[in-house]
């Protein structure tokens, strides 16, 4: 009876120790070989299961000498302790997961900082661009005002010069008429070498008759007539075309004038401007200038009648009611891509003189000179 009681007591004590170790020991180990799960801590105990090599088991306690109590699936048993090793896979996965999370946080923080820097740089760039644009606008407005003032002064000088020329011509004609009247009355010309105090019996020479004529500066120039849309030969010019573009500039000319239109492409500077077309258009006619290369253009226009050309030069001009101007409008012939396709711009232009032969009023003067027109 005593030995039986002692065995039962040992089982109770062992069970209490196992329970305490279960509460304090929590770790997973891997089997390094195939394990025999036995019912007790010794090879003499029955095999109650097998654990394959590399299987993860939960160690309850290792306080049985060479044996440890483990939980495998839904059962408990004993295995040799030296056939178990620590399983660091979970810890390694947790470490890698934490590293990945830290990297994500660092990347997010760096991205936020980069975005903030980019926004600040963009704000500064926009502010600088707005400042430069405002400065350019102010400079352009100042230049326009100066140019307008210079143009006004030039027109005033030209008008004043023309008035002086007409006044001088009128005074000359008046003096000639008076001189002719004196000759008609006396039949002689006063001798300036004779003193007023004495007299001479020598016959005085008769004055030759005087005729006043206005010089025709274009009398040696050749008069030319052209069909609608032709390029005057004097310019010795070959136009430029872009046949892939079905664009046009439609020009309608009134009844009071013929015109010669030069279509000029704007360059980066005025010296880079390039004339791409020259057309002669008769009065009461409409002409289309087609297949214009992409770019921004303006028109230089000669108005008038009686077109003449100077032999051996590239000069041509109207000799009646001639006026010259450089158009202020910019014609943008750049194609525009839209959701519906490509938009090809075209324009219409109406040209004519007033019945009195001017563009605006009797005080209007040429915007450019004939020589400037011929240089385009």
């Amino acid at each position: 009876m005593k030995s039986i009681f002692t065995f039962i007591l040992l089982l109770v004590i062992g069970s209490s120790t196992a329970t305490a170790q279960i509460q304090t020991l929590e770790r997973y180990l891997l089997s390094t070989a195939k394990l025999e799960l036995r019912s007790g801590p010794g090879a003499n105990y029955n095999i109650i299961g097998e654990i394959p090599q590399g299987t993860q088991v939960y160690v309850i306690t290792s306080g049985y000498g060479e044996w440890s109590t483990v939980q495998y699936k839904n059962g408990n048993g004993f295995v040799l302790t030296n056939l178990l090793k620590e399983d660091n896979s979970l810890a390694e996965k947790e470490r890698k997961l934490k590293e990945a999370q830290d990297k994500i946080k660092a990347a997010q923080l760096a991205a936020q900082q980069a975005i903030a820097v980019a926004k600040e740089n963009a704000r500064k760039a926009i502010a600088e661009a707005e400042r430069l644009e405002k400065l350019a606008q102010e400079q352009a407005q100042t230049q326009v005002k100066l140019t307008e003032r210079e143009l006004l002064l030039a027109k005033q000088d030209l008008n004043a010069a023309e008035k002086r020329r007409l006044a001088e011509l009128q005074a000359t004609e008046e003096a000639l008429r008076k001189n002719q009247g004196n000759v008609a009355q006396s039949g002689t010309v006063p001798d300036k070498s004779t003193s007023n105090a004495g007299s001479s019996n020598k016959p005085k020479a008769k004055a030759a008759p005087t005729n006043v004529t206005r010089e025709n500066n274009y009398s040696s120039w050749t008069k030319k007539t052209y069909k609608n849309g032709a390029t005057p030969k004097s310019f010795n010019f070959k136009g430029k075309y872009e046949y892939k573009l079905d664009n046009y500039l439609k020009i309608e000319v009134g009844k009071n004038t013929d015109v010669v239109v030069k279509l000029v492409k704007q360059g980066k500077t005025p010296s880079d401007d390039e004339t791409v077309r020259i057309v002669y258009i008769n009065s009461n006619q409409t002409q289309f200038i087609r297949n214009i290369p992409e770019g921004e253009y303006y028109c230089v226009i000669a108005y008038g009648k009686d077109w003449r050309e100077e032999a051996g030069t590239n000069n041509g001009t109207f000799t009646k009611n001639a006026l010259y101007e450089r158009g202020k409008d910019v014609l943008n012939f750049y194609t525009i891509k839209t959701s519906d396709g490509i938009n090809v711009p075209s324009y219409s232009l109406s040209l004519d003189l007033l019945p009195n032969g001017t563009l605006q009023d009797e005080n209007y003067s040429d915007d450019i000179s004939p020589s400037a027109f011929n240089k385009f």
Side-chain angles (χ1 to χ4, degrees), residues 99-115:
E99 287 182 354
Q101 290 174 340
D102 292 341
K103 288 181 180 179
I104 291 173
K105 290 181 180 179
Q108 289 175 341
L109 179 60
Q112 291 174 353
Q113 292 175 345
I115 291 172

Side-chain angles (χ1 to χ4, degrees), residues 74-142:
N74 294 327
N76 298 337
F78 293 86
V79 297
L80 288 170
T81 302
N82 62 358
L83 297 180
L84 297 175
K85 69 175 183 179
E86 291 186 4
D87 182 9
N88 297 323
S89 60
L90 288 177
E92 181 66 17
K93 290 178 181 178
E94 290 178 352
R95 183 185 66 78
K96 290 183 178 179
L97 177 61
K98 187 174 183 305
E99 287 182 354
Q101 290 174 340
D102 292 341
K103 288 181 180 179
I104 291 173
K105 290 181 180 179
Q108 289 175 341
L109 179 60
Q112 291 174 353
Q113 292 175 345
I115 291 172
V117 171
K119 286 183 176 179
E120 179 63 17
N121 291 338
R123 184 192 66 78
K124 291 180 179 179
I126 292 173
E128 178 66 12
E130 290 176 348
R131 184 188 71 80
L132 293 176
E133 181 183 6
K134 183 178 179 181
L135 179 62
Q137 289 177 347
E138 292 175 351
Q139 292 176 344
Q141 290 175 355
T142 301

Side-chain angles (χ1 to χ4, degrees), residues 194-200:
T194 305
S195 172
N196 291 331
S199 63
S200 174

Side-chain angles (χ1 to χ4, degrees), residues 188 191 194 199-205:
T188 60
D191 187 356
T194 305
S199 63
S200 174
N201 295 324
K202 293 181 180 180
K204 297 179 180 179

